[in-house]
Each structure stands twice: as C-alpha cells, then as structure tokens.
Amino acid sequence: MIHPEHQRRAYLQAMGIDVWLPREAAEPAVVESPVSNVAPVHDLDWDELRQCVADCTRCELAASRTQTVFGVGNRNAEWMIIGEAPGAEEDRRGEPFVGRAGKMLDEMLRAIGQSRESVFIANILKCRPPNNRDPKPAEAAECRGYLERQIAMVKPNIILAVGRIAAQNLLASDEPVGRMRGRRHDLNGIPLVVTYHPAYLLRSPSQKRKSWRDLCLAKALSMEVAT
Ligand code: URA
C-alpha cells in the first residue's frame, strides 16, 4: 500500500510540480512508481465490435482517416479513461493518446498506481477530425453506440472524462470543465469524474494540482464501488 502523502508527492513530481517540504521531512519522493450488418452494436462481442468500428463509414471522417482508433488497455479494467478524438499521431498509429498529451496521461495514471495496460482508454470519436478540429455533434452521435458498447463490456467502476469534449458529450452538458470537475457525476450508474485534458495541462501546468484532486476523487469513488 502506497502512503497517500508519498503518492501525492510522486504525482506532483511526475507532473513537473516542485514539492516544497520542511527540511526535516525532505526525503526523496517515492516514485512508484456502428452498426454491423449482422447484429445491432449492443449485441456485438469485443472482436465483432472492433471489426465493426474498423469498417465504419457512418460519418465523413471515414474518408480522411488513416485508420480507426478503437481503444487500448484492459478489457476488464476498473478504470476507463475517455478523451476526445484521435490526433495526427493516434491516426497514424491506431492507438489513443500516444502523442505528447499521451505521455502526460501516462504520468497521471502512473501517479495513481495505474497504467495504460491496467485501464481502458477510448475516445468520443474513433476517427481523427481533420486539422484537429472539434468533433461535430453528428459525428459524436454516430460514434456513441460504439463507446457505449465498450463501456457495457468493460464494466468499469470509474470513468474519467478528460477534457471538455469528453465531459460535455458523455454528460450531455454544456458546462465548462472548470464547473464539471471536482465532483461525482453518474453515467448509467457508473461514477464519472471530469478532469482537465492532458494537452491542456501541458499548456497550463498550474492546473495540475486541481487535476490531482480530481484523480484522488476518482480513486476514492472507484474504491467505494470495489468494496
Ligand atoms: N487527445 C485525445 O483526446 N485523444 C487522443 O487519443 C489523443 C489526444
């Protein structure tokens, strides 16, 4: 069991925040580390769903993508992380959060004792919007069934929505992230916590402390459900 103070320090350190300690307490921080032609999406198993996504032409993004980005991680994860949409690097590699923002997400996960392998990471959209524009509501709506099926199969006990697009789409809200973060939401009975997008944290490091609080809240909620 990692001491919460060590974990807090490790998180802040991993995210590049200086941790000031009284001299006697100063010790090295412990760095621990849609639709198929055979069945409706909600009836598909994992491999069928993956294939269905790979073949999808439900919106115009099919024409410009290199490949779909299905999601990555543990199919039985307790934590599900949901972002916005693939960027250029994700479109090239077929995996979510592999660019700079992905590195930041990895650090955030590591700080709470999770990893890309232990959680499941997906996006609101499975295809890259050109020029990294925001997803259009119609695109998100076409893609929604895929994500819902993934959530239903993974059965996470906590969902972390990273960034405005993920939070607003999942919660059908137009509130800014700053107002949605820091409290428990609910998605079909699953606790959901909103936090800042890692790309935003790269631009605004002063917000990392708030994101740490969000992760602590998510962790507490996930443990509540697990017990
Ligand atoms: N940003 C996202 O929201 N998702 C990704 O997969 C990559 C960057």
Side-chain angles (χ1 to χ4, degrees), residues 129-148:
N131 306 314
N132 299 332
R133 66 158 168 75
D134 284 356
K136 295 179 182 169
E139 294 161 352
E142 293 294 354
C143 231
R144 179 77 182 215
Y146 297 143
L147 183 59
E148 282 179 356

Side-chain angles (χ1 to χ4, degrees), residues 11 15 81-84 90 96-109 116 121 123 160-164 166 177 195-205 207-208 211 215:
Y11 177 87
M15 295 182 76
I81 317 296
I82 303 181
E84 175 177 336
E90 289 79 17
F97 285 100
V98 289
R100 274 188 76 221
K103 295 245 160 17
M104 172 63 84
L105 180 63
D106 289 347
E107 295 301 330
M108 293 162 74
L109 292 175
R116 289 178 87 75
I121 308 175
N123 282 309
L160 186 70
V162 298
R164 174 180 65 86
V177 174
T195 196
Y196 294 114
H197 194 283
Y200 172 74
L201 294 176
L202 286 170
R203 295 193 301 275
S204 306
Q207 302 298 323
K208 287 176 183 173
S211 142
L215 292 181

Side-chain angles (χ1 to χ4, degrees), residues 204-222:
S204 306
S206 63
Q207 302 298 323
K208 287 176 183 173
R209 283 174 193 278
K210 289 189 198 157
S211 142
W212 166 240
R213 281 189 237 129
D214 298 332
L215 292 181
C216 288
L217 170 64
K219 184 162 184 167
L221 291 172
S222 82

Side-chain angles (χ1 to χ4, degrees), residues 163-164 167-168 173-181 183 185 194 196:
R164 174 180 65 86
Q168 291 184 343
S173 164
D174 57 7
E175 273 194 287
V177 174
R179 283 225 295 275
M180 285 191 274
R181 61 156 295 279
R183 61 192 161 98
H185 302 264
V194 172
Y196 294 114

